[in-house]
Amino acid sequence: MALGMLGKKLGMTTAFDEEGRAVAVTVLELPLNSLTQVKTPERDGYAAVQLGLGEKKRPNKPEAGHAAKSGVAPPAALREFRTADVESFKAGDVVDISIFEGVTAVDVRARSKGRGFAGVIKRHGFHRGPKTHGSKAYRRPKSIGASATPSKVYKGKRMPGHMGHRWVTAANLKVFRLDAEKSLLIVKGAAPGPNGGFVVVSPSRKVARVES
Amino acid sequence: MHPAVREIEKTALKDNIPDFKVGDTVRVEVEIVEGDRTRTQPFEGVVIARKGAGPRETITLRRIASGVGVERIFLLHSPRVKNLKVVRHGKVRRAKLYYLRRKVGKKARVKEGRIRRPGAKAAEKKAPEDETTAEDTS
């Protein structure tokens, strides 16, 4: 059961654990996911289930057709989860938060907040240059390598560029509380992305590795 | 803030916190965990700041202990901070009493008493901690 769910990051707050310590927690909403497709090794070459979240307001024809096959409304987001026992799933089913019952830690995947074209200090944590004494490199990268040898700039040299808006996994976030009634999963620590952003939550791979 | 997150914050709040303001002298008991045993430690002082909102609200208490100014910050809604009692109402005209740090002796005091707004007393009666009402008529 290496399944996961699709949901939304609602925001962060402070909560008190059973020992009275204040901990920073992130509230994730995991509403009912529709099971849109089951992929089998025979037909698709691998075993997986495809889950859908929400409802797309104006689906195009392929999307509508795909959803119609399983008899669900066209979802706003689709995601696959690899799982060996595809027999226990059927297209058209719903998946609810109860799959996280008893799970102690989860991985949360989301697209991080976009920072635009960011300089080297924000993007790579470089130190700034001197503010005065004729310095021309307050927030600039300065030297990017030696001269005649190697007479090139090494690949992977950390430079300014686009930052954020990429898929980030916050691994092994401990489950703080699960509210099945409201479909909320509260985890310790921070999850990537803005409040209200789309998240993919699955049981922690680290925990799975320890158990097997 | 998302309404669901606000709901969660509400559950973390204490409902038995008496009505008190900056300038009041309060007494709290803090639970201290030492290894596997816990003990409570009282602390009494003037509230010189109230900061934050919801479960993150903190109070800064200041007192002069054996001639030395001591300030402690308490997470107001933490389960480890218990039995908050108002010892004395102060009359102050600002929200943060950081100026007390620069004052010594007689000047480092807060005037007692407070002009009560109408309705404030009624609100206080509802609070479970009721000994505050008796004192403040001074």
Side-chain angles (χ1 to χ4, degrees), chain B residues 2 5 11 13 21 34 82 88-89 95:
Chain B
H2 193 279
V5 180
T11 62
L13 299 183
K21 285 199 165 67
E34 286 172 333
K82 288 181 167 161
R88 182 172 171 270
H89 282 291

PDB file of all heavy atoms in Angstrom, chain B residues 2 5 11 13 21 34 82 88-89 95:
ATOM      1  N   HIS B   2      -6.656  30.420   6.523  1.00  0.00           N
ATOM      2  CA  HIS B   2      -7.758  29.551   6.119  1.00  0.00           C
ATOM      3  C   HIS B   2      -8.656  29.250   7.322  1.00  0.00           C
ATOM      4  O   HIS B   2      -8.174  29.037   8.424  1.00  0.00           O
ATOM      5  CB  HIS B   2      -7.189  28.249   5.558  1.00  0.00           C
ATOM      6  CG  HIS B   2      -8.202  27.436   4.831  1.00  0.00           C
ATOM      7  ND1 HIS B   2      -9.086  26.620   5.505  1.00  0.00           N
ATOM      8  CD2 HIS B   2      -8.502  27.318   3.519  1.00  0.00           C
ATOM      9  CE1 HIS B   2      -9.868  26.030   4.608  1.00  0.00           C
ATOM     10  NE2 HIS B   2      -9.534  26.436   3.405  1.00  0.00           N
ATOM     11  N   VAL B   5      -7.708  26.360   9.433  1.00  0.00           N
ATOM     12  CA  VAL B   5      -6.519  26.568  10.265  1.00  0.00           C
ATOM     13  C   VAL B   5      -6.909  27.367  11.497  1.00  0.00           C
ATOM     14  O   VAL B   5      -6.449  27.105  12.616  1.00  0.00           O
ATOM     15  CB  VAL B   5      -5.417  27.291   9.461  1.00  0.00           C
ATOM     16  CG1 VAL B   5      -4.190  27.507  10.317  1.00  0.00           C
ATOM     17  CG2 VAL B   5      -5.068  26.505   8.215  1.00  0.00           C
ATOM     18  N   THR B  11      -8.725  25.495  19.038  1.00  0.00           N
ATOM     19  CA  THR B  11      -8.671  24.352  19.950  1.00  0.00           C
ATOM     20  C   THR B  11      -7.418  24.391  20.823  1.00  0.00           C
ATOM     21  O   THR B  11      -7.388  23.804  21.901  1.00  0.00           O
ATOM     22  CB  THR B  11      -8.697  23.022  19.179  1.00  0.00           C
ATOM     23  OG1 THR B  11      -7.532  22.968  18.353  1.00  0.00           O
ATOM     24  CG2 THR B  11      -9.942  22.867  18.353  1.00  0.00           C
ATOM     25  N   LEU B  13      -6.218  27.106  22.123  1.00  0.00           N
ATOM     26  CA  LEU B  13      -6.278  28.224  23.057  1.00  0.00           C
ATOM     27  C   LEU B  13      -6.828  27.788  24.407  1.00  0.00           C
ATOM     28  O   LEU B  13      -7.658  26.899  24.495  1.00  0.00           O
ATOM     29  CB  LEU B  13      -7.178  29.339  22.499  1.00  0.00           C
ATOM     30  CG  LEU B  13      -6.763  29.974  21.186  1.00  0.00           C
ATOM     31  CD1 LEU B  13      -7.715  31.083  20.821  1.00  0.00           C
ATOM     32  CD2 LEU B  13      -5.346  30.492  21.249  1.00  0.00           C
ATOM     33  N   LYS B  21      -4.012  43.120  31.471  1.00  0.00           N
ATOM     34  CA  LYS B  21      -3.427  44.027  30.495  1.00  0.00           C
ATOM     35  C   LYS B  21      -1.968  44.283  30.840  1.00  0.00           C
ATOM     36  O   LYS B  21      -1.498  43.930  31.926  1.00  0.00           O
ATOM     37  CB  LYS B  21      -4.179  45.355  30.521  1.00  0.00           C
ATOM     38  CG  LYS B  21      -5.531  45.309  29.853  1.00  0.00           C
ATOM     39  CD  LYS B  21      -5.967  46.730  29.532  1.00  0.00           C
ATOM     40  CE  LYS B  21      -7.111  46.758  28.568  1.00  0.00           C
ATOM     41  NZ  LYS B  21      -8.342  46.199  29.152  1.00  0.00           N
ATOM     42  N   GLU B  34      12.183  17.783  34.179  1.00  0.00           N
ATOM     43  CA  GLU B  34      13.581  17.423  34.431  1.00  0.00           C
ATOM     44  C   GLU B  34      13.691  15.919  34.323  1.00  0.00           C
ATOM     45  O   GLU B  34      13.299  15.188  35.221  1.00  0.00           O
ATOM     46  CB  GLU B  34      13.992  17.870  35.835  1.00  0.00           C
ATOM     47  CG  GLU B  34      14.204  19.357  35.949  1.00  0.00           C
ATOM     48  CD  GLU B  34      14.411  19.800  37.379  1.00  0.00           C
ATOM     49  OE1 GLU B  34      13.904  19.111  38.287  1.00  0.00           O
ATOM     50  OE2 GLU B  34      15.071  20.817  37.582  1.00  0.00           O
ATOM     51  N   LYS B  82       0.757  27.562  33.717  1.00  0.00           N
ATOM     52  CA  LYS B  82      -0.512  27.273  34.389  1.00  0.00           C
ATOM     53  C   LYS B  82      -0.873  28.342  35.407  1.00  0.00           C
ATOM     54  O   LYS B  82      -0.024  29.106  35.857  1.00  0.00           O
ATOM     55  CB  LYS B  82      -0.402  25.936  35.116  1.00  0.00           C
ATOM     56  CG  LYS B  82      -0.396  24.773  34.155  1.00  0.00           C
ATOM     57  CD  LYS B  82      -0.324  23.471  34.886  1.00  0.00           C
ATOM     58  CE  LYS B  82      -0.653  22.356  33.910  1.00  0.00           C
ATOM     59  NZ  LYS B  82      -0.184  21.081  34.398  1.00  0.00           N
ATOM     60  N   ARG B  88      -2.287  42.277  40.786  1.00  0.00           N
ATOM     61  CA  ARG B  88      -2.463  43.703  40.975  1.00  0.00           C
ATOM     62  C   ARG B  88      -2.717  44.325  39.611  1.00  0.00           C
ATOM     63  O   ARG B  88      -2.101  43.948  38.612  1.00  0.00           O
ATOM     64  CB  ARG B  88      -1.156  44.242  41.565  1.00  0.00           C
ATOM     65  CG  ARG B  88      -1.086  45.680  41.904  1.00  0.00           C
ATOM     66  CD  ARG B  88       0.236  45.917  42.651  1.00  0.00           C
ATOM     67  NE  ARG B  88       0.455  47.324  42.830  1.00  0.00           N
ATOM     68  CZ  ARG B  88       1.115  48.099  41.957  1.00  0.00           C
ATOM     69  NH1 ARG B  88       1.629  47.580  40.871  1.00  0.00           N
ATOM     70  NH2 ARG B  88       1.270  49.380  42.198  1.00  0.00           N
ATOM     71  N   HIS B  89      -3.652  45.253  39.581  1.00  0.00           N
ATOM     72  CA  HIS B  89      -3.912  45.946  38.320  1.00  0.00           C
ATOM     73  C   HIS B  89      -3.054  47.184  38.239  1.00  0.00           C
ATOM     74  O   HIS B  89      -2.957  47.944  39.195  1.00  0.00           O
ATOM     75  CB  HIS B  89      -5.384  46.354  38.216  1.00  0.00           C
ATOM     76  CG  HIS B  89      -6.268  45.211  37.838  1.00  0.00           C
ATOM     77  ND1 HIS B  89      -6.226  44.631  36.595  1.00  0.00           N
ATOM     78  CD2 HIS B  89      -7.189  44.522  38.546  1.00  0.00           C
ATOM     79  CE1 HIS B  89      -7.092  43.646  36.547  1.00  0.00           C
ATOM     80  NE2 HIS B  89      -7.683  43.547  37.724  1.00  0.00           N
ATOM     81  N   ALA B  95       1.577  50.485  25.516  1.00  0.00           N
ATOM     82  CA  ALA B  95       1.355  49.058  25.286  1.00  0.00           C
ATOM     83  C   ALA B  95       2.558  48.220  25.671  1.00  0.00           C
ATOM     84  O   ALA B  95       2.442  47.046  25.975  1.00  0.00           O
ATOM     85  CB  ALA B  95       0.995  48.815  23.823  1.00  0.00           C
TER      86      ALA B  95
END
